[in-house]
Amino acid sequence: MPDLQAMFTDLIHPDTLVGHALPSLILLVAGMLLIVVARHYIRRLWNVTDGHLPLNPASRKTIERLLVSLLWLFLALVLLRFWGIDVSSIWSTIVSLLAVVGVGLLATWTMVSNITARLFVLIWRPYHLGQQIEILPENLKGRVIDTDLMFTCIEQDDGQEVIIPNNLFFQRIIRRAPMRGRAGKP
């Protein structure tokens, strides 16, 4: 009869596949649970900041996906490191690619200007969702129905939508009607 203790000890030795697979599986499950908890807290954060940071659901979902994707990437790098793979070269490659994409996307003045203007719109709030505004001297009038990093969309009285670059709000005069109620409805 074979020695079962010796067989079990040889099976879970750190140099064997099972010796790496079991701790890796535990690490993976723990990481997945942490990501689920993090996603829950991100959604709770949206509920807390709802009145202070009026982002549309698509922007919220994009930010949530980005954060969760970064957590998955971090978990993958930890697992690779656990398996003895040098992740410094992988990390350097990822950072280099992100830098190239960042420079490529933000190289134009217009994009940087609109994104920065959106940040200032969030801080100074020259208008609110649902509010009637008019941009002078162009005489663009309508109700603000959506906003994102690049543009603000207003609905005119005839139902047409006008998409306005965010930086225009800092280059023109804005006339706004007083808000009636929280949602801007009379």
Side-chain angles (χ1 to χ4, degrees):
M1 184 166 145
D3 184 16
L4 291 177
Q5 184 177 3
M7 284 177 43
F8 182 73
T9 304
D10 289 342
L11 184 64
I12 61 167
H13 191 271
D15 293 335
T16 64
L17 181 62
V18 174
H20 271 329
L22 186 59
S24 296
L25 184 62
I26 292 170
L27 187 62
L28 181 64
V29 169
M32 289 170 56
L33 288 174
L34 286 174
I35 290 171
V36 167
V37 169
R39 179 179 278 165
H40 171 74
Y41 280 107
I42 290 169
R43 289 181 179 157
R44 282 188 61 190
L45 179 66
W46 290 135
N47 291 337
V48 170
T49 62
D50 191 28
H52 305 290
L53 188 64
L55 291 174
N56 62 7
S59 297
R60 289 180 180 191
K61 194 69 170 171
T62 301
I63 293 170
E64 179 185 332
R65 285 180 181 161
L66 178 66
L67 292 173
V68 169
S69 297
L70 289 174
L71 291 173
W72 277 109
L73 177 65
F74 180 74
L75 178 61
L77 292 175
V78 168
L79 281 170
L80 288 173
R81 181 71 182 126
F82 178 78
W83 277 79
I85 298 171
D86 183 24
V87 295
S88 61
S89 61
I90 295 172
W91 183 249
S92 298
T93 303
I94 290 171
V95 169
S96 298
L97 285 173
L98 287 175
V100 168
V101 168
V103 168
L105 289 177
L106 298 177
T108 62
W109 173 85
T110 305
M111 289 180 68
V112 173
S113 174
N114 282 317
I115 291 170
T116 305
R118 176 63 183 142
L119 174 68
F120 292 137
V121 165
L122 283 173
I123 293 170
W124 290 309
R125 297 178 178 239
Y127 61 85
H128 299 278
L129 286 175
Q131 189 170 28
Q132 287 289 127
I133 63 170
E134 179 179 3
I135 299 176
L136 303 171
E138 287 86 0
N139 293 327
L140 292 172
K141 298 177 187 177
R143 184 176 57 88
V144 179
I145 59 172
D146 192 18
T147 184
D148 59 30
L149 282 178
M150 295 292 291
F151 304 103
T152 297
C153 184
I154 63 171
E155 182 179 36
Q156 295 181 319
D157 292 336
D158 61 0
Q160 293 185 357
E161 295 179 3
V162 178
I163 299 174
I164 304 164
N166 286 329
N167 63 6
L168 194 63
F169 291 99
F170 293 95
Q171 300 170 6
R172 301 289 188 268
I173 298 170
I174 309 294
R175 178 183 295 154
R176 61 184 185 177
M179 291 288 289
R180 295 188 181 116
R182 181 175 167 96
K185 296 178 182 171

